[in-house]
Amino acid sequence: LLVAYMGYLGLGAGVLRALERPAEVRAAQHLLQQHWELLANHTCLRGAALQRLVEGIVQAYKSGITLQGNTTSLGRWDFSGSFFFSISAITTIGYGNLSPSTVAGRIFCILFALFGIPLNLVLLNEIGQLMLLGVQRCARRLEEAFHWQKKASLLIKTCALVTGLLLFLLLPPLLFSDKEGWSYEEGFYYSFITLSTIGFGDYVIGMNPDRSYPGWYKNVISLWILFGMAWLALVIKLCINFLE
């Protein structure tokens, strides 16, 4: 099993290197070219000063601050943004695009996650059990009504799987396309990476300073994350049983 596990990781590493390495090299060359063109066209700029400015912009962006003309945009740490960060912390998604910058905030985040992660796991387990109980009850009613045995269970499980796919993976990308301007593929990618708690952070909702978001948006997405994680956990559990 350990050999198969390491082999699977090696396969993933090899495929990803073949797919992503050329794009990384091209992006690095393009960035370096832009850097030298900027210095050549604006001789008053100094390399060291430009480097400090770039580092400052990157650090500010990580803190949720972006330049908009002569002003800066704030808002990642308003209540809705903080609420979304809280749920990404205790669900262990951890996008990485936003993190506390103060000592007090980091200490609170540790304590908050220490008690919040078990609370989240208990809640997800209860939601998952309720979903499973609903599926089992529907299967029993079909068995009683049509005198089916294995067919009823298989039919209800298939319906639950299809319904979950629609609600949590196939339909949400349409909302993300409308609110975020992403393609359907990007929205689907974000949906799976979020619900599986991988949380790379390359795509995060509500972070584009050029777009205005309705007040309900992040709250609805938070509920989607909660129930979607419970559903996906059941699917992963079925996969685990199959592999075992």
Side-chain angles (χ1 to χ4, degrees), residues 56-120:
I57 291 174
V58 171
Q59 187 61 40
Y61 180 78
K62 289 180 179 179
S63 302
I65 302 169
T66 55
L67 286 172
Q68 291 181 323
N70 294 326
T71 62
T72 55
S73 67
L74 300 172
R76 291 193 180 183
W77 286 113
D78 57 10
F79 185 80
S80 62
S82 300
F83 184 84
F84 190 73
F85 171 80
S86 298
I87 195 169
S88 69
I90 66 172
T91 54
T92 69
I93 295 173
Y95 290 112
N97 69 309
L98 189 62
S99 58
S101 58
T102 63
V103 174
R106 289 169 180 166
I107 293 174
F108 174 77
C109 188
I110 293 171
L111 297 174
F112 182 74
L114 184 64
F115 294 98
I117 291 174
L119 176 63
N120 176 72

